Amino acid sequence: MLKETISFNRALTKNSTLYTKQVYYFSMEFLIGKLLRYYLVNMGVEELVREGLAELHIDLDDLLEQEADPGLGNGGLGRLAACFLDSMAFGGIAGHGNGIRYRYGLFEQKIRNGFQTEVADNWLKNDYPWEIRRAEKSIVVKFKGHVRTEVVKGKLVFYHEQYEPVLAVPYDIPVISYDNPLNINNLRLWSAEPLSNELDLASFNRGDFDQAVSLRSGVEAISYILYPDDSSRSGKELRLKQEYFFVAAGLGSIMKSVKKRNLFLAEFPRWVSIHINDTHPVLCIPELMRILIDEEGLGWDQAWNITVNSISFTNHTIMPEALEKWPVTLFKNILPRIFMIIEEIDRRFKERSARRFFDDRKIIQNTQIIKDNHIQMANLAVIGSSSVNGVASLHTKILKQQVFKDYYRMFSYKFNNKTNGVNHRRFLLTANPVLSDLITEAIGPTWKKNAEELENLLIYQEDAAFLEKAAKAKYHNKMQLLQYIKKTQGIELDCFSMFDVQVKRIHAYKRQLLNILKIMHLFNQVQEDPNSVLGSQTFIFGGKAAPGYHYAKTIIKLINTLAEKIHKEPRVRDKLEVVFIENFNVSLGELIYPAADVSEQISTASKEASGTGNMKFMMNGAITIGTLDGANIEIKEAVGENNLFIFGLSADEVLRYSSEGGYKSLDLYYDNQDLRRCVDQLVNGFFATAGEEFKVIFDSLLLYNDDYFVLRDFADYLEVYKQLQSAYSDRKRWTGMSLVNIAKSGVFSSDRTIREYADQIWKTSFRPIDFNLQDKP
Ligand SMILES: *Cc1c(COP(=O)(O)O)cnc(C)c1O
């Protein structure tokens, strides 16, 4: 029923938006989370359905448990794409997602003997109820083969021959907007299938059974599994095929709809915006050129104008290991015609730069697309799009001044900032119902549609009764998390201890290690004098490590080893507990973010482009302890310096160390006894059960000079942490700080972010429809 209603309304939406601009959000990842509850909340029928089911003796919560959480993304980038889909639908934008329907999503993490192990994420095992296969809208995508060039009527014509065809079959998932059942958008995910479902009979009859099977599985491999690397590139042939696959399929289907609407190609940018989420979909640029030139017969210059004016690009990282590059030989073999187009874009670009910067060989070298026999995908993205944005103000500043400094000289007008946001209807309204009801009681319901109204909560800053109710909501959420931990791990935790939480991908730059060293230091203190540590604390970790990232996996083992050691010391256990929650994903996030007292956002300054976990915590009243990195800076501006805890090197200081040197981690190790003790404990038998396994961590800090400045920030972190502990022990102060964080979090709703994309980049209007809010409680 629900599904039919959705399809019907979707059909209505399509007709009514035929002549509005369509925005296509191309992303390799969409980490959408479970959808049933989201649909019910957005349609305003959650309570109705809950009551109806209760009459049938079905508990809605039990039902919600059954749904799979599709892991079609690694972390922040994929989750951002999902939040954007919601806000686009809410804002009445005809905005659609375009991605890959991975047969297996991000692995499921199991902790065995303290180590991460990976289990395949078989999310389609029981079929997925929300997708609709649209075989009739399939697109043929062409790989490999040769390009034959011919002159026809004085014009060069290109024929792509002997290619290997792959059928891209779309599966559509409806995106329902909040409180506006008539605007339903679409998330289109592509699955790779052989062109014909018949066996390759020729091979089979020749007796070449392996060949017959391998052709089929070679094709299906394209959408078989999500690459599990966050913030690093994989450089594998299959990954490149995935990237071209969903780009070519997506653009193919856009062209079909443009044809159906009888639009003039010259007006394409007026009717279509194509947004590329990081460089993974950057082949949109040469692919659109190919379609316009080879299939539509346009000349180069006209095709180029259309392409650049339709495409906009978001950069997500400044870490060099994440900037995508492809070896020319590999690329040429897989995508021969696309390679020719990239070469031509590069040639023309260099020619133009040479005219403008004839005396500056360096700028020409730095900005070319093909360099050292590699295609630099970020360079292609900047040259071939009309807008380049970073995801927090510091990040955008670093893009302008460092990563893309030469491009910034050439096209300063392209660069802009769009600070990330999160869907406050998922991460506050739905994930934290007790607090949400309290908020609605206090300031009315319209904050759900306009998150900036949360600011009206500030009048309760001194209202002891209200603050107590908010504290009760936090207590409730902590109980829920605690019960989950009890059920899954058998560990009983103290609900009155402070919940200090770090959940995110495990990565050296995110510095889970710094947090661990802090806990080790507290452990040492408690052992010496239990009264020297104020209050009692529960440290909660969660997050996946890329399967090939040995260092990150060792960090997980270290957390679990420390947890075990602390748990075995009764004297310490009253003060400190550590837990690692296995398989952190969107659903667990919805349980964890609302239960946190403290939000750990402690990346090495300059390395975290924005972060979005920081925003989810803040909205739920957790207090941030963090560095001046990514959107932490904007959180600080929003709440003021008295309502969060900042420590550590600034981005400028980190970047200066990186360019000029001068950092010696060994000096700090020798100067700071407390620090030395903790670092030594990694290898000196303190962890009785560990052999040599933590040596890699020890070496990263001393032998390899601590790339992420963990030792440099240690003392400052502890100092500020002490202030945080003392603030927590002052209940009135803490609950007041918490309220300010909630009240000021509205600016971090993805509604605000999408409004900015719509106004400034896509040039389409963001207009939530408001026709029945008065009827709502
Ligand atoms: C929000 C979110 C992230 C991003 O967290 P950061 O703290 O910004 O790195 C990662 N994974 C999941 C499941 C999330 O919901």
Side-chain angles (χ1 to χ4, degrees), residues 31 75-76 79 503-504 510 584-586 593 601 611-613 616:
L31 200 49
R79 184 54 234 176
V503 287
K504 48 181 76 240
K510 292 181 183 275
F584 179 62
N585 60 12
V586 175
Y593 295 118
Q601 305 301 335
T612 48
K616 300 172 199 162

Side-chain angles (χ1 to χ4, degrees), residues 282-533:
V282 76
L283 296 179
C284 276
I285 293 162
E287 174 65 6
L288 185 53
M289 288 296 285
R290 186 195 67 76
I291 292 172
L292 295 174
I293 294 169
D294 294 3
E295 291 177 10
E296 303 298 331
L298 300 191
W300 182 277
D301 290 333
Q302 200 187 1
W304 183 245
N305 273 333
I306 292 171
T307 300
V308 173
N309 287 317
S310 333
I311 294 182
S312 45
F313 161 55
T314 297
N315 168 284
H316 281 269
T317 178
I318 61 159
M319 305 239 295
E321 65 266 38
L323 292 175
E324 285 193 292
K325 324 181 225 232
W326 292 102
V328 163
T329 41
L330 172 112
F331 195 102
K332 222 170 164 166
N333 177 256
I334 295 174
L335 303 168
R337 177 64 183 133
I338 296 298
F339 178 73
M340 291 171 74
I341 292 171
I342 292 176
E343 251 186 333
E344 182 62 11
I345 295 173
D346 194 32
R347 191 187 67 75
R348 289 176 182 239
F349 176 75
K350 278 190 298 204
E351 203 177 86
R352 261 192 42 191
S353 320
R355 263 180 273 144
R356 187 167 158 197
F357 300 97
F358 55 92
D359 54 345
D360 192 343
R361 294 199 53 79
K362 216 150 152 218
I363 195 169
I364 295 167
Q365 242 164 39
N366 289 342
T367 55
Q368 58 198 4
I369 300 169
I370 302 173
K371 203 165 30 175
D372 309 325
N373 273 314
H374 282 77
I375 301 172
Q376 317 283 328
M377 304 288 259
N379 294 11
L380 176 58
V382 177
I383 292 167
S385 61
S386 51
S387 165
V388 178
N389 75 279
V391 289
S393 70
L394 171 70
H395 173 232
T396 301
K397 191 182 112 189
I398 294 172
L399 290 182
K400 290 177 181 174
Q401 294 180 354
Q402 318 235 349
V403 185
F404 295 140
K405 128 171 153 268
D406 294 313
Y407 289 119
Y408 187 57
R409 271 180 70 192
M410 297 177 171
F411 324 105
S412 63
Y413 58 90
K414 290 191 185 184
F415 287 81
N416 63 91
N417 178 57
K418 297 284 167 285
T419 299
N420 282 166
V422 300
N423 178 1
H424 74 288
R425 286 174 292 272
R426 180 178 282 268
F427 288 103
L428 175 56
L429 175 63
T430 313
N432 195 344
V434 180
L435 180 62
S436 295
D437 286 348
L438 181 63
I439 294 171
T440 303
E441 218 175 274
I443 61 170
T446 44
W447 64 275
K448 301 171 189 178
K449 302 184 85 173
N450 177 10
E452 313 232 352
E453 287 181 18
L454 287 168
E455 199 148 352
N456 295 336
L457 287 170
L458 285 178
I459 55 170
Y460 295 95
Q461 210 178 338
E462 304 287 332
D463 182 331
F466 185 87
L467 294 180
E468 244 353 270
K469 282 191 215 162
K472 277 226 176 78
K474 180 64 75 183
Y475 179 78
H476 169 88
N477 298 333
K478 287 168 78 171
M479 281 296 286
Q480 302 244 298
L481 176 59
L482 196 141
Q483 276 160 14
Y484 175 82
I485 293 170
K486 170 93 201 298
K487 195 178 81 191
T488 50
Q489 307 195 20
I491 302 173
E492 295 208 40
L493 297 171
D494 173 10
C495 207
F496 294 101
S497 73
M498 181 179 90
F499 281 19
D500 177 329
V501 185
Q502 188 171 21
V503 287
K504 48 181 76 240
R505 288 299 291 256
I506 312 291
H507 207 291
Y509 85 82
K510 292 181 183 275
R511 297 201 298 192
Q512 280 88 0
L513 179 57
L514 180 58
N515 195 354
I516 297 167
L517 290 173
K518 172 191 77 186
I519 301 167
M520 289 172 71
H521 173 70
L522 293 171
F523 177 93
N524 294 336
Q525 276 189 312
V526 176
Q527 286 247 307
E528 269 161 25
D529 172 11
N531 294 322
S532 66
V533 173

Side-chain angles (χ1 to χ4, degrees), residues 9 19 69 76 117 119-120 151 172 187 191 210 300 325 328 338 346 362 374 516 566 608 721 725:
N9 285 357
Y19 292 97
D69 181 345
T117 57
V119 177
V151 181
D172 290 352
L187 167 57
S191 178
D210 289 353
W300 182 277
K325 324 181 225 232
V328 163
I338 296 298
D346 194 32
K362 216 150 152 218
H374 282 77
I516 297 167
I566 288 179
E608 186 78 88
Y721 190 75
Q725 285 171 305

